[in-house]
Amino acid sequence: MALDTETPLNSLGFAKPPSETRVVVAMSGGVDSSVVAAYLADQGYDVVGVTLQLYDHGAALAKKGACCAGIDIHDARRVAEERGFPHYVLDYENIFKDAVIDEFADSYLAGATPVPCIRCNERVKFKDLLETAKDLEADCMATGHYIQRKMGTNGAELHSAEDANRDQSYFLFSTTPEQLDFLRFPLGHLPSKDATREMAAQYGLAVADKPDSQDICFVPNGNYASVIEKLRPGAAEPGEIVHADGRVLAQHDGVIHYTIGQRRGLGIGGLSEPLYVVKLDVDKKQVVVGPKEMLATRTVPVREINWLGDEPFTSRDEWHVSVKVRSTRPPREAIIRPLSDTTAEVELFTPEEGISPGQACVFYETGGSRIFGGGWIWRGY
C-alpha cells in the first residue's frame, strides 16, 4: 500500500491531528511555560504538564523570584486544572543535587564562576525529564524557553529567539541533536515578552502578571557565598588580597566571596588606580587584583564542546564564527581551532574583559541566527 503523503504536518511537525499528538510540557509555574501549555491545549494537543520539585531549602520555598518553589508548583497545577489537562509533580531533588548543586559548589570552591542553569537543562530537564516524557509515550516535549528550533537540510537546527532581549541560547548550547529532535520551543518566534503576557491574559491565566524569576533557583537573594558555606562548611577560609605585582594589600574572608572582574567591595580603597579581581588562586587562598587591562583576553581554552554544525567539528582546522563568553554580552567574531572532538582554542578578534573559568563559550553563525553549540571555558592546564 502506498504511503499517505497528503497528511499535512501539524504545528509541532507531526503528520497527524493534534488530538493524536501527545506533548509533555515542562511547567515551572511561570508565565512562559504556562502559556506554552495553555496554547497547545487550546490547539487541541494531548497535553501532559510536568513540574519538577528540584530543591527544598526551607525559607527559599516561599521565596518569589526563584523557579520550582512551592508557590510555583501550585501555580502550574492551577493552570492545568483550569485548562483541563493532567499535571504531575516529580521529585527530582536527589538528581538535581547530584547533577547540579554539588558541581556548582565544587566549581565555586575551585575559583570558577559556574552557570548551573546550563547544567540543569543539560543534565536534568533535557535528560531525565526528557526520558520521562518518552516513558509517557509523548511525541515531543515543549518548554517555555526563548529559542527557536528550525528544520534545515540536515535536520533540526537551533536558532536564536526572535527577541534578542529574551534570547536564552547561551543557556541551551549543550542541547544535543538527539534532544533537539524531541524538543519544541513554541515561544521562540514571539517578538517580545509582552506578547507572551498578552497570550496569558487572553487565556485568563492567573500567572499573566507574575514576575520573572531572577535568581538561580537554589540561591536565595543571589547570595552565592552563603549557599556554598551551607553546602561546604568551612569553605570560606581567610587569605590575602594580593596585587599582581606581589604586594599584599589586605585580608579576605574567603575566595568564594569574589569573582573575576569584580571591582566593588574589595575593601582596598585609597589606591591611586582602580583595581579588579584578575585571578582567584584557591591553593594559595589568594585573591589577585590588578588594573583593568589585565582582564583583557584574546585566547579562550574551551572543553566539553557540544557541536551542532552540519560537518564534523574536527573536519576543519578553523571555524570562523561569533562567540558569546557571557550571557549578557553580544556575540563577537572569533576563530575556533579544534584540538579534538570536544576541545578547542578560541581566538577572539577583539579582546574581552572578565572571561572566567566555569562560564560558557557559545558559538553563533556570524550575521545569522543559528547556534553551532559551545563549550565550557577553563584555564587550559
Side-chain angles (χ1 to χ4, degrees), residues 304-325:
E304 289 185 69
I305 288 170
N306 177 55
W307 178 246
L308 295 174
D310 296 328
E311 305 164 45
F313 185 53
T314 53
S315 64
R316 297 189 196 175
D317 293 333
E318 293 184 349
W319 295 93
H320 289 249
V321 297
S322 292
V323 302
K324 264 191 189 188
V325 292

Side-chain angles (χ1 to χ4, degrees), residues 190-351:
L190 294 181
S192 68
K193 181 65 178 249
D194 288 342
T196 305
R197 293 197 182 278
E198 286 170 15
M199 288 178 69
Q202 288 169 9
Y203 291 126
L205 302 182
V207 295
D209 297 318
K210 186 173 180 177
D212 291 342
S213 58
Q214 301 295 330
D215 301 331
I216 295 168
C217 66
F218 60 91
V219 185
N221 306 317
N223 189 340
Y224 291 24
S226 67
V227 172
I228 302 298
E229 289 181 89
K230 282 183 189 173
L231 294 168
R232 301 286 188 271
E237 296 185 47
E240 297 173 334
I241 299 178
V242 182
H243 194 284
D245 64 13
R247 288 177 288 152
V248 176
L249 301 179
Q251 302 294 309
H252 65 74
D253 294 327
V255 171
I256 63 171
H257 296 284
Y258 300 86
T259 55
I260 301 293
Q262 180 178 336
R263 178 186 174 189
R264 300 184 186 281
L266 299 181
I268 48 174
L271 298 170
S272 58
E273 59 174 349
L275 295 176
Y276 299 77
V277 176
V278 297
K279 181 182 177 184
L280 298 172
D281 192 325
V282 177
D283 294 333
K284 294 181 180 178
K285 301 174 188 171
Q286 287 183 339
V287 174
V288 183
V289 297
K292 190 174 184 180
E293 54 265 27
M294 288 190 68
L295 287 169
T297 306
R298 287 188 73 120
T299 304
V300 185
V302 180
R303 62 184 175 185
E304 289 185 69
I305 288 170
N306 177 55
W307 178 246
L308 295 174
D310 296 328
E311 305 164 45
F313 185 53
T314 53
S315 64
R316 297 189 196 175
D317 293 333
E318 293 184 349
W319 295 93
H320 289 249
V321 297
S322 292
V323 302
K324 264 191 189 188
V325 292
R326 283 191 180 228
S327 63
T328 53
R329 297 184 185 176
R332 304 275 177 83
E333 285 193 63
I335 297 173
I336 307 171
R337 296 187 175 91
L339 302 175
S340 72
D341 288 337
T342 58
T343 59
E345 189 172 89
V346 175
E347 181 185 345
L348 306 173
F349 284 16
T350 306

Side-chain angles (χ1 to χ4, degrees), residues 141-205:
M141 186 172 92
T143 79
H145 289 107
Y146 287 87
I147 194 166
Q148 297 189 80
R149 174 191 183 274
K150 297 182 179 181
M151 292 306 297
T153 53
N154 292 298
E157 299 174 353
L158 208 56
H159 287 257
S160 300
E162 188 68 28
D163 179 6
N165 293 321
R166 304 298 305 182
D167 177 61
Q168 291 176 289
S169 57
Y170 183 85
F171 301 98
L172 296 166
F173 80 84
S174 60
T175 306
T176 66
E178 295 75 26
Q179 291 168 343
L180 200 52
D181 283 341
F182 195 71
L183 289 164
R184 301 293 186 275
F185 309 106
L187 302 183
H189 69 286
L190 294 181
S192 68
K193 181 65 178 249
D194 288 342
T196 305
R197 293 197 182 278
E198 286 170 15
M199 288 178 69
Q202 288 169 9
Y203 291 126
L205 302 182

